[in-house]
Amino acid sequence: MLEAIGLECVRGDRRLFRDLSFGLEPGRLLQVVGPNGCGKTSLLRMLCGLMAPVHGEIRWEGASIRSLAEDYLATLTYIGHLNGVKDELTALENLRISSALGGTHVDEPAAVSALEKMGLGGREMLPAKVLSQGQRRRVALARLLLTEAKLWLLDEPLTALDKAAVAFVESLLAAHLEKGGLVVLTTHQDLQQPGLGTRRLELGT
Amino acid sequence: MLEMLRWVIRRDLVLAMRRRSDVLTTLFFFIIVVSLFPLGVGPEMNLLRTMAPGVVWVAALLASMLSLGRLFSSDYLDGTLEQMLLAPQPLSIVVLGKVAAHWLVSGVPLVVMAPVLGLQYDLAADALLILTASLVLGTPVLSMIGAIGAALTLGLRGGGVLVSLLVLPLYIPVLIFGAGAVEASASGLGAEAYLSLLAAFLVGALVLTPWATSAALRISLD
């Protein structure tokens, strides 16, 4: 279970939010919404430990994520609004390397089949620089098919995706929640899939 | 942990192979700078022999600095660096892997070319050997110290100039003992003391710099 207690975020001399508290149980999804610049990405970066909150604390299963350090990182996967996809590497190499960085070693057939499911069949060996924005996003999201992580932190995962891909990602989220996983995501779109145990957190109001 | 190290090194080497021009620029810069001096100074053998170690070492410093900008910046811009910080392994391992790959790509070619370029300075065979040995021990230290500067200046405008101001003063000890080794052996003192000190720098840098670079990366990405 993920808990945030009294978080405060300051960027430059602006305070984006303060006294932000929430808890998220296994099997639930938290959708963070709010206008541009209200601190959605900052909140996600705090939740994965890239950024330290000015005040407050984030706890995973009762322990502060600062003290858990790498044990906490092993339980999460984060996909930021930057894809982390290298132009010079093929889609397949990108997926295998990003999975390896996340701590899951994926062999080639598994990676190929994940890319096929993401709708990139036949494009595994193309360098990422010839892929479109949406296709690169799919390469980044293909990691979700392979990761064992329990907590998914996704920053605008649905941008640049077409309708079919959005539906597929939503079905991935639903399957993950069913297995008792946790998801925190930011998006401006309304999630269509019924049954996603969605809670909304509005920032900047 | 070793698995992660291997992945990072392999990835960076593949990337370097696909952007070969970057690697070649550094190498050609080194070759040209070293070759300019005999042309400028003239064929005065004694003079060339005395200045050879210094010139080769200064050119190696500048060449290794030239490639520092690429060490983290492309990973920073496309978001891979975030993923590296979130890897469930100590960040120092990732840093060590990236620095090792940087040395293999930008340091090793210099080491290989140095004896050939030394011929232009009429260096004797044993002086060439010591020059190469000092570069083998010294260039990894340059990559490791440079990584700290590259990490600190990540995402800053004009980071390239700033990195030279930060890093060049820290290169001075390596330069003194690297060039000193060749001079000492030429004057009959023996280069062992200099090479041992360079090796000590190498060990010290291996222990301390990955940790310092990791800390700098965390600050830059906060």
Side-chain angles (χ1 to χ4, degrees):
Chain A
M1 135 137 201
L2 179 73
E3 278 173 293
I5 304 154
L7 294 185
E8 176 168 344
C9 170
V10 177
R11 298 309 273 166
D13 47 11
R14 282 191 55 210
R15 181 189 286 140
L16 294 177
F17 51 78
R18 59 178 298 185
D19 271 339
L20 180 72
S21 302
F22 61 84
L24 193 68
E25 302 82 38
R28 304 299 295 272
L29 178 149
L30 182 70
Q31 182 181 4
V32 185
V33 291
N36 295 131
C38 69
K40 298 190 291 294
T41 296
S42 298
L43 175 62
L44 246 64
R45 288 171 64 88
M46 273 181 192
L47 289 178
C48 64
L50 279 175
M51 214 171 106
V54 181
H55 289 294
E57 192 183 31
I58 297 159
R59 292 192 189 155
W60 174 253
E61 278 158 5
S64 155
I65 62 167
R66 290 274 153 207
S67 64
L68 290 172
E70 277 124 29
D71 293 335
Y72 175 63
L73 294 179
T75 64
L76 74 82
T77 190
Y78 168 73
I79 298 185
H81 64 119
L82 295 169
N83 289 325
V85 169
K86 279 259 169 264
D87 276 353
E88 290 83 356
L89 300 178
T90 65
L92 183 63
E93 288 166 333
N94 267 307
L95 177 57
R96 289 191 69 195
I97 286 168
S98 62
S99 295
L101 281 177
T104 3
H105 295 286
V106 180
D107 56 6
E108 204 169 306
V112 169
S113 91
L115 287 170
E116 263 164 20
K117 283 187 201 145
M118 267 333 273
L120 291 163
R123 297 189 179 81
E124 302 92 350
M125 297 316 251
L126 288 180
K129 66 177 152 219
V130 303
L131 297 179
S132 75
Q133 202 54 41
Q135 286 172 326
R136 285 153 175 263
R137 198 66 185 155
R138 290 175 190 226
V139 175
L141 289 169
R143 214 169 79 222
L144 296 179
L145 285 161
L146 300 167
T147 177
E148 310 265 292
K150 202 166 171 216
L151 172 62
W152 291 3
L153 301 169
L154 312 174
D155 195 357
E156 300 283 353
L158 307 177
T159 40
L161 293 182
D162 58 27
K163 274 185 191 151
V166 169
F168 182 68
V169 171
E170 285 185 10
S171 73
L172 277 183
L173 296 179
H176 181 61
L177 296 178
E178 212 147 278
K179 279 189 297 182
L182 293 81
V183 180
V184 181
L185 65 80
T186 69
T187 179
H188 295 289
Q189 307 179 26
D190 289 324
L191 298 174
Q192 303 298 328
Q193 197 98 355
L196 293 178
T198 309
R199 289 178 39 201
R200 283 164 77 92
L201 176 70
E202 303 231 3
L203 289 179
T205 46
Chain B
M1 228 143 89
L2 283 177
E3 187 81 349
M4 177 74 85
L5 192 66
R6 244 190 41 213
W7 269 105
V8 175
I9 296 181
R10 220 177 67 189
R11 184 194 86 117
D12 276 25
L13 291 181
V14 169
L15 281 172
M17 285 315 289
R18 305 223 172 127
R19 295 182 200 149
R20 232 161 302 167
S21 62
D22 284 359
V23 180
L24 292 177
T25 346
T26 316
L27 182 59
F28 279 110
F29 176 83
F30 178 66
I31 294 175
I32 289 174
V33 170
V34 174
S35 311
L36 282 178
F37 277 85
L39 297 174
V41 173
E44 178 70 54
M45 287 307 181
N46 281 327
L47 185 61
L48 285 179
R49 259 198 300 270
T50 6
M51 59 189 264
V55 169
V56 173
W57 260 97
V58 169
L61 294 194
L62 297 177
S64 106
M65 241 191 40
L66 206 61
S67 53
L68 280 182
R70 291 192 306 271
L71 186 54
F72 296 115
S73 65
S74 76
D75 285 341
Y76 172 68
L77 290 176
D78 66 20
T80 320
L81 200 57
E82 275 176 356
Q83 298 297 338
M84 290 177 167
L85 258 70
L86 294 177
Q89 302 271 347
L91 182 55
S92 325
I93 297 293
V94 176
V95 168
L96 203 60
K98 285 193 71 70
V99 172
H102 176 262
W103 178 68
L104 288 173
V105 165
S106 70
V108 170
L110 306 192
V111 173
V112 173
M113 282 311 288
V116 182
L117 295 170
L119 288 177
Q120 299 182 66
Y121 291 83
D122 192 37
L123 283 181
D126 56 338
L128 284 178
L129 192 70
I130 299 220
L131 178 65
T132 316
S134 71
L135 284 169
V136 168
L137 292 171
T139 45
V141 184
L142 301 182
S143 293
M144 286 191 270
I145 295 177
I148 304 177
L152 278 174
T153 55
L154 208 57
L156 298 182
R157 251 178 306 147
V161 184
L162 198 56
V163 97
S164 21
L165 294 179
L166 276 174
V167 159
L168 278 181
L170 297 174
Y171 279 176
I172 292 173
V174 186
L175 171 68
I176 291 176
F177 291 106
V182 187
E183 279 150 23
S185 87
S187 61
L189 281 173
E192 286 82 6
Y194 289 84
L195 293 181
S196 317
L197 272 169
L198 278 178
F201 284 150
L202 179 59
V203 175
L206 259 177
V207 175
L208 295 175
T209 58
W211 169 77
T213 310
S214 311
L217 284 176
R218 285 192 204 282
I219 295 170
S220 292
L221 264 88
D222 191 1

